[in-house]
Amino acid sequence: MDVRDLLDQGVTRARDAVSSVAVETRPFVRALVRLCDDGWGQGWHERNGGNASYRLTDEDVRSCRACFHEQPRPWQPLDAAVPAMAGEHLLVTAAGSYFRNVADDPSRALGIVEVDGAGASWRPVWGFAGDGRPTSELASHVIIQGARKEATAGASRVVYHCHPVPVIALTFALPADGRTLTRALWKTMTECIMVFPGGVGAVPTAVPGSRRLADLTAEAARDHAAVIWAHHGLLATGATCDEAFGLAHVVVKAAAIYAEVRALCGGEPAFPLSDDDLAELARGLGVTPRADYLGWPAQRPGPAGAASAASSREG
Ligand code: 13P
Ligand code: ZN
């Protein structure tokens, strides 16, 4: 190798090191790193369990474009066409990355992908150091990001997938049906209905990383900010990492309470909150819950008032 090649190699390495650090210090990267670290701390990410993505703003892209790969990498098919995501950039976790390691080496555990003008292909533009690649659920993230972007007039930017024990356990006890799961969760804590008035969606058991899982989730995500994957985990979305993580946290806590009460009572809990109570809570908290999940007043007319009646076993 001649001196020129050595020099070029050194310059490339120095440039890579500088661009890693420059992007890693951007606030949007630090926010996703913190979400991963917090999820690890909660015990929701065994091994490489879970993945996450953040849809960059134009300002985010502008602020780190100078650090993107000098030589564009080849486009790769997404196995889906998502016009809503045309031209977007996503910061995503790498396939096989362990959430416990994200904070130690963000440019290895994360990377930025650019979606092409048709929303049908992607290419890496930063990160995934050491020949990494985006999560095996990349197609899911792009499809779900697109669905949430449309459902929230562009506000939703974060998709967070985790494997919390209480949520997975809940899908053994109750059917993978959004209405049933939502009602069980709403009735465990008075503030659930405020945090997710639209309820949670549900997807039956499906192969991780499969197109079927992505499509069913996108369908559920059109009118739910959180979706439970039977026997797999949870997907929570939001405008910010705080919002997505906070939503996941509340769903997990409610599921844990449900399990605890079920164990204490030796079976299906007799919920102290009736539909009337939920409706009154919603009024008091200033939210409009999803009417077909509340089933009030058509199903259960009756006097309002907190804890006015024990509800049915169906919840
Ligand atoms: P990845 O490591 O490919 O992101 O897979 C983790 C996971 O939880 C799949 O559902
Ligand atoms: Zn998973």
Side-chain angles (χ1 to χ4, degrees):
M1 187 181 290
D2 67 20
V3 173
R4 179 79 249 164
D5 291 339
L6 265 176
L7 200 59
D8 285 349
Q9 258 191 21
V11 169
T12 305
R13 280 200 193 128
R15 187 188 179 280
D16 286 352
V18 169
S19 48
S20 289
V21 173
V23 176
E24 284 174 2
T25 54
R26 304 303 310 156
F28 70 89
V29 179
R30 288 174 47 217
L32 199 74
V33 168
R34 171 147 180 235
L35 175 144
C36 295
D37 214 34
D38 287 348
W40 160 251
Q42 291 292 328
W44 302 341
H45 298 282
E46 75 292 341
R47 201 172 180 274
N48 66 311
N51 36 63
S53 66
Y54 165 78
R55 184 169 59 85
L56 276 67
T57 64
D58 291 344
E59 172 55 23
D60 295 329
V61 176
R62 197 201 53 71
S63 73
C64 53
R65 193 183 284 285
C67 299
F68 288 176
H69 299 315
E70 275 182 313
Q71 296 298 325
R73 306 292 201 263
W75 291 105
Q76 304 189 38
L78 251 181
D79 191 28
V82 190
M85 289 294 287
E88 296 280 4
H89 289 75
L90 285 184
L91 175 68
V92 286
T93 47
S97 61
Y98 288 27
F99 271 43
R100 71 188 286 261
N101 295 335
V102 173
D104 286 344
D105 199 351
S107 61
R108 181 173 295 268
L110 305 173
I112 299 175
V113 301
E114 178 185 3
V115 180
D116 73 354
S121 301
W122 65 275
R123 65 180 176 189
V125 296
W126 177 85
F128 306 121
D131 284 334
R133 51 180 293 112
T135 168
S136 59
E137 311 263 16
L138 178 66
S140 293
H141 278 264
V142 175
I143 296 171
I144 295 157
Q145 284 275 6
R148 290 308 295 165
K149 179 184 171 188
E150 289 184 327
T152 62
S156 183
R157 293 194 174 272
V158 179
V159 170
Y160 171 46
H161 163 52
C162 51
H163 293 179
V165 169
V167 173
I168 298 171
L170 188 68
T171 65
F172 284 76
L174 295 175
D177 152 54
R179 186 174 189 276
T180 307
L181 291 169
T182 298
R183 290 165 62 78
L185 297 175
W186 275 353
K187 292 185 175 198
T188 60
M189 285 198 301
T190 52
E191 289 180 18
C192 280
I193 202 162
M194 178 185 74
V195 179
F196 46 98
V200 296
V203 167
T205 314
V207 177
S210 66
R211 180 61 196 274
R212 179 167 180 266
L213 179 60
D215 287 342
L216 290 171
T217 308
E219 202 180 308
R222 266 185 261 286
D223 53 357
H224 299 95
V227 179
I228 289 176
W229 288 350
H231 313 119
H232 183 158
L234 173 66
L235 192 126
T237 66
T240 61
C241 287
D242 275 354
E243 233 181 72
F245 188 85
L247 175 57
H249 211 173
V250 174
V251 171
V252 174
K253 190 164 191 179
I257 293 169
Y258 178 89
E260 192 123 338
V261 174
R262 226 182 135 119
L264 282 172
C265 300
E268 183 82 8
F271 292 105
L273 290 178
S274 69
D275 281 20
D276 300 329
D277 297 328
L278 284 178
E280 182 163 305
L281 281 170
R283 269 195 299 274
L285 293 165
V287 295
T288 307
R290 189 180 161 129
D292 57 337
Y293 283 5
L294 191 54
W296 181 90
Q299 281 196 347
R300 285 174 42 83
S308 63
S311 68
S312 69
R313 284 175 59 82
E314 186 247 345

